[in-house]
Amino acid sequence: MSDLYTLLAFLTAIVVLVLLIARFKVHPVATLFIVVMGLGLVLGMGGAATVELVMEGFGSTLAKVGLLVIFGCVLGKMLELSGAAMKITETALRMFAEKRVPWAIALASTVLGIPLIADTAVVMLIPIVSALAYRTGISMMRLGPILYIGAYVMTSVIPPGPGPLASASLLEVSMGEAILYGLMVGVPGVLVATLYLSRIKTYVPPKPEFVEHLVGAGGPSSGGSGEGAADGTTPGAKVGLFGALLPILAPIVLIVFASLAGPALPEGSWFTGTVLFVGEPTVALFLACLLALPLFRGRWRDKETLNDLFESGLRIAAMPLALTGVGGALATIIRETGVAESVAGGIESVGLSPILVPFLVAAAVCTITGSNILGVMTSAAIMQPLLPSLDLSPIAVYLACATGAQIMKHANSSGFWVTTTLSNMTVGQGIRSIGVASVLSGVTGFVVLYAMHTAGLV
């Protein structure tokens, strides 16, 4: 079987994948399965061998990352329902002067984007942001997209976001590296995108339903931090800031410390064993879920907290788990059928810098399908078998996938519609704000990555 045939089959598979999802609205899991099976068959693997490889890739990938995705989704749900997310937002707003409100929202969104999916952060916090827009006179075309973009970037570049988790697992990048280097490319992206959004001049008022309780109770520039409950408190009022941040920061510290300090500690000691145990990502994320229980105060013993909340997290985790498993199957098929060598040869003959390839693949998948999760995961699955041929480190490919998968959000994305609609913007205003900001964040992150790659740091 010629290299040209193999390469054409691979490129056709990518086109079919994109068309089925974007044009014909086939579910991504079903689409990936169709593409993986079809690729194995047209490359001569045979029906039985293809199925065997798919099952092998699916099972081995989920074995590595399955519990991580589950505990990450459960943790996000706990922070959402306990009021911890609201507390972090309110604290960030109090830290900044009124004219710096966009940066306060960016800070809160960036922190919350570590455990929460960006769409969830917007739905939760848009009433507070809308009230701030009404009281300060700042356009929702600034504040709504800023609320989205911080969480969106973090969900794209660092675990426990489902996409980064799957990508890190497929590329065999340690979670400590993924978090540290992900922050290095993610934070500059958030800063540049926020700077752009904070300069937008077009005024868009908040949706009336979010501010009708404020009419006659203090108009623009009268101060305040958002929508209150019947007793004048917000959902996060009874949660302390330390308690709200602890479940987010503790697993990051444990994982990073174990990753960096573990190799330097004496082998066989009880302390080394303990550090490596609690710093193992699955254990660290489960401990984070336990640390979130006190946020519920007396309700932590209730069935709604100990059982129903966990089931809610499992439902959220179902699609990322399925996508991750089938993505692992795609990587296995690519590795076993010779596609990797053909693609690597094609890249070399064109003269394209290898680091650009995962970035462009992730950007294309995200832009066409509207899913950053699918973008980072699919590009990682494609690139993993190519690593030996392209002379790229796994962490460099991971970061290229993560930055490319931010480009670009537009009308085929649920996050775009949630943010545009709740921020009272038109589609055109959404593209000018959210779309451009997502391009700026991804390109900025990639520029940082390229500089680190050129300097030999990754």
Side-chain angles (χ1 to χ4, degrees), residues 397-438:
V397 173
Y398 168 84
L399 295 173
C401 295
T403 52
Q406 297 170 39
I407 301 171
M408 74 173 270
K409 302 307 278 186
H410 58 95
N412 62 351
S413 161
S414 62
F416 175 88
W417 282 112
V418 165
T419 308
T420 299
T421 303
L422 295 182
S423 299
N424 205 24
M425 295 189 293
T426 65
V427 173
Q429 290 168 339
I431 291 174
R432 281 174 52 206
S433 56
I434 301 165
V436 174
S438 66

Side-chain angles (χ1 to χ4, degrees), residues 85-87 89-90 93 105 124-135 140 143 147 210 214 224-228 234-235:
M86 208 69 85
K87 180 66 177 182
T89 304
E90 293 167 351
L93 292 171
I105 294 172
M124 282 179 55
L125 300 176
I126 202 68
I128 286 181
V129 170
S130 298
L132 279 166
Y134 177 80
R135 288 170 162 163
M140 282 301 295
L143 300 188
L147 172 62
F210 291 135
L214 298 173
S225 62
E227 191 171 11
T234 57

Side-chain angles (χ1 to χ4, degrees), residues 326-377:
V326 184
L330 176 61
T332 302
I333 289 290
I334 291 173
R335 184 173 58 250
E336 296 295 329
T337 55
V339 168
E341 291 77 9
S342 298
V343 174
I347 293 169
E348 186 176 348
S349 64
V350 171
L352 191 66
S353 173
I355 194 69
L356 279 169
V357 177
F359 175 78
L360 294 176
V361 171
V365 174
C366 180
T367 300
I368 296 170
T369 67
S371 171
N372 61 317
I373 294 175
L374 194 61
V376 67
M377 185 212 68

Side-chain angles (χ1 to χ4, degrees), residues 11-35:
L11 294 176
T12 302
I14 299 302
V15 172
V16 169
L17 183 148
V18 169
L19 283 176
L20 287 177
I21 295 174
R23 176 68 178 85
F24 298 103
K25 310 303 179 187
V26 180
H27 194 281
V29 175
T31 298
L32 274 170
F33 182 76
I34 292 169
V35 167

Side-chain angles (χ1 to χ4, degrees), residues 113-129:
I114 297 172
L116 292 179
I117 295 172
D119 301 29
T120 302
V122 172
V123 172
M124 282 179 55
L125 300 176
I126 202 68
I128 286 181
V129 170

Side-chain angles (χ1 to χ4, degrees), residues 186-434:
V187 172
V190 174
L191 292 175
V192 171
T194 303
L195 188 64
Y196 164 75
L197 291 168
S198 64
R199 297 289 191 275
I200 288 177
K201 303 296 184 183
T202 306
Y203 180 73
V204 175
K207 288 177 76 71
E209 55 264 39
F210 291 135
V211 297
E212 58 187 9
H213 65 291
L214 298 173
V215 177
S221 300
S222 66
S225 62
E227 191 171 11
D231 61 356
T233 63
T234 57
K238 296 181 179 179
V239 176
L241 179 63
F242 177 77
L245 288 173
L246 186 61
I248 298 173
L249 300 181
I252 293 176
V253 172
L254 291 174
I255 292 169
V256 171
F257 182 73
S259 178
L260 296 179
L265 294 174
E267 293 185 14
S269 73
W270 67 269
F271 180 74
T272 302
T274 302
V275 167
L276 295 178
F277 174 71
V278 299
E280 202 284 323
T282 304
V283 175
L285 273 178
F286 182 71
L287 290 175
C289 293
L290 296 181
L291 290 172
L293 285 175
L295 297 173
F296 292 88
R297 297 180 176 268
R299 293 182 292 129
W300 76 268
R301 304 181 190 86
D302 298 345
K303 173 181 176 292
E304 288 78 7
T305 303
L306 294 178
N307 185 80
D308 297 355
L309 191 149
F310 201 91
E311 288 189 356
S312 297
L314 284 174
R315 285 192 290 272
I316 296 171
M319 182 173 170
L321 281 173
L323 280 174
T324 301
V326 184
L330 176 61
T332 302
I333 289 290
I334 291 173
R335 184 173 58 250
E336 296 295 329
T337 55
V339 168
E341 291 77 9
S342 298
V343 174
I347 293 169
E348 186 176 348
S349 64
V350 171
L352 191 66
S353 173
I355 194 69
L356 279 169
V357 177
F359 175 78
L360 294 176
V361 171
V365 174
C366 180
T367 300
I368 296 170
T369 67
S371 171
N372 61 317
I373 294 175
L374 194 61
V376 67
M377 185 212 68
T378 304
S379 56
I382 292 170
M383 295 304 299
Q384 187 266 339
L386 304 180
L387 287 175
S389 305
L390 296 180
D391 193 28
L392 291 173
S393 67
I395 186 62
V397 173
Y398 168 84
L399 295 173
C401 295
T403 52
Q406 297 170 39
I407 301 171
M408 74 173 270
K409 302 307 278 186
H410 58 95
N412 62 351
S413 161
S414 62
F416 175 88
W417 282 112
V418 165
T419 308
T420 299
T421 303
L422 295 182
S423 299
N424 205 24
M425 295 189 293
T426 65
V427 173
Q429 290 168 339
I431 291 174
R432 281 174 52 206
S433 56
I434 301 165

